[in-house]
Amino acid sequence: MENVTPVILCGGSGTRLWPLSRKSYPKQFAPLVGGGTLFQQTAQRLNGIGEGVCYGKPLVVTNSDFRFIVTEQLASLGIDPGAVLIEPSARNTAPAVLASAIYLHNQDPEAIMLVAPSDHMMPDADAFRAAVAKGIEAVKQGKLVLFGIRPDRAETGYGYLELDGEGAGGVTALKRFVEKPDAENAQKMLEDGGYLWNAGIFLFRAADIIAAFKQHAPSLVAPVEQSVNSAKPDLGFLRLAAEPWDQAQDVSIDYAIMEKASDLAVVPYDDLWSDLGGWDAVWRAMDQDDDGVAVTDRVTAIDCKNSVLRSESPQLELVGIGVEDIVAVAMNDAVLVAHKDRAQDVKLAVSALKKKAAIQAESFPKDHRPWGWFESLAVGSRFQVKRIHVHPGASLSLQSHFHRSEHWIVVEGTAKVTVDDTVKLVTENESIYVPLGSVHRMENPGKVPMVLIEVQTGSYVGEDDIVRYDDVYSRGQGAKG
């Protein structure tokens, strides 16, 4: 039985799946296909024991904004993360992998790590575990193992791996990397049969990948090593030191290491896989009717063909009539309608929205916080109405505001409310007023979620109007919620 530590990378923004995936809450944390979120599916796939491999507690690499989402989604599965490394800034996959390797090597010089993105769909967990088991022997021989997906179509959106012969034991030598091809070359590679899609999933010993960095990307080693060794614990997370981290090159693991290394091996994977890199990929992954139409709840499709129609709001019914090859995704604050052939251009819409300063470009109406979430129901020049959901046992910070007063009405559960020197329980159908400038806090002392409606009034109702006096989540003055 070999011990393997999963390393889950989940810091991406997923703009090609806008409006469901946005910078503030990207696709890996959303329920796209199958049960749970893509991040949760990844964690479950790499959990427990299977095919002679014992998967340890996952090491997760993410950023500060997502750290509580990561632990909350793992906790709902009963999975305890081994470590959550917080990147001070986005530096692509090479520094993230190196930091993980250095951390694990400090714990165990013989550590084996399986690096996986958090936003891939692989429904057959047993098949993937069998593929991992095939790669273990190559890892013991000092190889860096890549996983390649057997292509089922001439895809131009992926890089390819050209295999060097058939190999043995399910492991094949790599001849070369192939950049994303045009349609003609993609078709030739499909017909050839000796090419796989590069899945971006890797298996190796921490010591071997560190040695590869020292040989092929030595400039990365010192800043990343210093960042890991100077990291600071923070509420169960490990914050990598910012100053050396920011000096590391922004580069992918493929460019930094894999395309230069010679001791590579490939494990082909023949079962269903998708990186869900666009709405066309989501359409292929969803259940479809006889006309190729994939829908979610709250959708009515009449005489439609080869389309994906999704309503992501309980209050919104989406109707499609006579559409063909269309992507339609409806949310409370934004609607996408695009030809399926233009699915990869959705990121252009995000750029256009950023230029016009539209909040929908990056942010949701529902804003996730370590204590729960809130969503804006109505906003005016001098008021805002929110629905606030607080997890059992959670509490907001002790805070005050310069520009607004608040009125809270509890609609589910019980709130423990502090306003200046007064502390009281507020139950369903009861309310309390928080005057401008008062020091206040709301808590959920119960074992069920607490929901309240907050009405803010004042000259300014922005999230940055906050003075924080005490916070169990150790956030600074500039943090929200």
Side-chain angles (χ1 to χ4, degrees):
M1 186 71 66
E2 294 294 334
N3 294 316
V4 172
T5 299
V7 174
I8 304 177
L9 309 179
C10 59
S13 59
T15 56
R16 287 177 295 178
L17 289 182
W18 185 91
L20 180 62
S21 176
R22 307 186 200 181
K23 183 179 179 181
S24 67
Y25 202 75
K27 68 174 181 176
Q28 59 264 32
F29 301 121
L32 267 168
V33 292
T37 68
L38 295 176
F39 171 66
Q40 288 175 316
Q41 292 175 29
T42 302
Q44 287 179 306
R45 186 164 58 246
L46 307 179
N47 184 50
I49 297 174
E51 293 285 343
V53 175
C54 178
Y55 295 91
K57 295 179 179 180
L59 185 156
V60 180
V61 184
T62 188
N63 61 47
S64 185
D65 291 341
F66 303 152
R67 66 194 191 280
F68 292 107
I69 300 174
V70 163
T71 52
E72 180 183 328
Q73 292 201 354
L74 288 178
S76 69
L77 301 175
I79 296 177
D80 179 23
V84 178
L85 305 187
I86 307 299
E87 296 178 296
S89 58
R91 281 294 179 268
N92 215 314
T93 54
V97 171
L98 178 56
S100 304
I102 292 170
Y103 176 86
L104 292 174
H105 188 264
N106 288 345
Q107 311 297 314
D108 176 11
E110 298 300 317
I112 297 175
M113 53 193 290
L114 174 63
V115 179
S118 61
D119 56 358
H120 289 186
M121 184 199 72
M122 304 177 78
D124 194 338
D126 290 337
F128 180 68
R129 291 181 179 201
V132 173
K134 292 176 183 177
I136 290 293
E137 193 58 39
V139 169
K140 290 181 179 178
Q141 298 170 11
K143 299 287 187 182
L144 308 179
V145 175
L146 301 85
F147 292 84
I149 309 301
R150 191 77 65 184
D152 59 4
R153 62 187 184 278
E155 175 61 60
T156 60
Y158 302 143
Y160 284 70
L161 308 172
E162 183 179 2
L163 304 181
D164 189 6
E166 292 296 326
V171 181
T172 303
L174 176 68
K175 186 174 183 179
R176 67 183 179 110
F177 286 84
V178 180
E179 294 293 332
K180 295 178 182 179
D182 58 25
E184 181 180 354
N185 284 316
Q187 183 62 39
K188 289 179 180 178
M189 288 189 286
L190 177 65
E191 295 170 356
D192 179 277
Y195 295 83
L196 306 176
W197 294 334
N198 183 3
I201 303 172
F202 310 99
L203 180 69
F204 34 63
R205 288 187 301 207
D208 292 331
I209 192 64
I210 292 171
F213 270 96
K214 290 179 178 179
Q215 180 179 356
H216 302 295
S219 64
L220 281 173
V221 176
V224 174
E225 187 172 46
Q226 184 180 349
S227 183
V228 173
N229 293 339
S230 302
K232 301 293 184 184
D234 178 9
L235 294 176
F237 307 105
L238 190 65
R239 288 185 177 273
L240 301 176
E243 185 174 348
W245 181 264
D246 290 341
Q247 296 172 11
Q249 182 185 2
D250 183 333
V251 62
S252 74
I253 185 71
D254 282 336
Y255 285 118
I257 303 300
M258 298 303 167
E259 295 186 8
K260 302 174 183 176
S262 58
D263 50 350
L264 303 179
V266 181
V267 175
Y269 183 74
D270 298 325
D271 287 85
L272 183 61
W273 168 90
S274 175
D275 70 345
L276 297 178
W279 285 113
D280 53 339
V282 174
W283 168 73
R284 284 190 292 269
M286 293 175 65
D287 293 332
Q288 302 172 11
D289 65 15
D290 293 340
D291 292 317
V293 178
V295 302
T296 60
D297 293 338
R298 302 174 299 280
V299 170
T300 300
I302 301 172
D303 296 332
C304 299
K305 293 182 179 179
N306 299 322
S307 296
V308 53
L309 308 175
R310 295 178 64 111
S311 170
E312 304 295 341
S313 168
Q315 292 83 37
L316 198 153
E317 183 76 16
L318 175 63
V319 178
I321 302 176
V323 300
E324 185 172 352
D325 295 323
I326 288 295
V327 173
V329 183
M331 303 191 69
N332 280 344
D333 66 331
V335 177
L336 168 70
V337 181
H339 195 281
K340 191 148 54 62
D341 291 346
R342 299 292 301 275
Q344 296 300 312
D345 291 335
V346 171
K347 58 186 177 182
L348 301 179
V350 176
S351 298
L353 289 171
K354 286 181 182 178
K355 288 181 180 179
K356 61 190 294 187
I359 192 172
Q360 291 89 342
E362 296 185 332
S363 299
F364 276 109
K366 179 180 286 188
D367 209 330
H368 290 262
R369 293 287 182 263
W371 43 261
W373 53 264
F374 70 84
E375 61 179 336
S376 296
L377 304 179
V379 182
S381 61
R382 293 182 60 86
F383 76 91
Q384 181 171 203
V385 181
K386 291 181 180 179
R387 174 166 54 188
I388 299 177
H389 175 113
V390 183
H391 297 318
S395 66
L396 281 70
S397 61
L398 186 67
Q399 58 187 254
S400 66
H401 310 293
F402 287 115
H403 303 288
R404 70 175 186 257
S405 60
E406 296 172 344
H407 188 188
W408 298 341
I409 305 100
V410 176
V411 294
E412 290 182 27
T414 298
K416 180 182 177 182
V417 175
T418 300
V419 180
D420 293 326
D421 297 329
T422 301
V423 180
K424 64 180 295 186
L425 294 178
V426 182
T427 59
E428 291 181 10
N429 289 327
E430 294 182 342
S431 64
I432 192 167
Y433 177 67
V434 182
L436 185 151
S438 291
V439 177
H440 59 277
R441 186 205 301 266
M442 72 173 75
E443 305 172 61
N444 181 359
K447 297 186 180 299
V448 297
M450 184 269 289
V451 180
L452 60 81
I453 302 300
E454 177 182 84
V455 181
Q456 304 174 353
T457 56
S459 59
Y460 178 71
V461 292
E463 289 302 317
D464 54 349
D465 176 21
I466 183 171
V467 178
R468 184 171 282 112
Y469 304 97
D470 178 63
D471 181 35
V472 297
Y473 307 107
S474 299
R475 295 168 295 170
Q477 291 289 347
K480 302 175 183 178

